[in-house]
Amino acid sequence: FDLLIKRDGDEPWRAVDVRFKGITYVSIKKHQFRQIVDTESIMALKNFLSKNNEVYFSTLCQPIEKKGHSPC
C-alpha cells in the first residue's frame, strides 16, 4: 500500500494518489473523473477532489495523544 502526498510550499499536504498491489486509485477512478469533466467541468473535478482531500485529512490530522508528531 502506497499513499502519494504532496504539498506546495506552505500549503497543506494533499493526497495525490493511492496504490495497492500495483493498482492506483487514479487508474480505478479515471472513468468517474472523466465523467465529471464531460458532464460538468474541470473545476467540478477539482472541487470534488478537494472535498475528498479535506474529508480524508480532517480524520488523519486529528491531534494524537502519544509522544511524537501528528502526520500533518
Side-chain angles (χ1 to χ4, degrees), residues 4-8 10-15 53 57 61 71-72:
L4 177 61
I5 58 174
K6 293 184 177 182
R7 76 175 183 175
D8 264 341
D10 293 334
E11 293 292 318
W13 287 97
R14 298 285 181 210
N53 271 334
F57 280 104
C61 295
C72 302

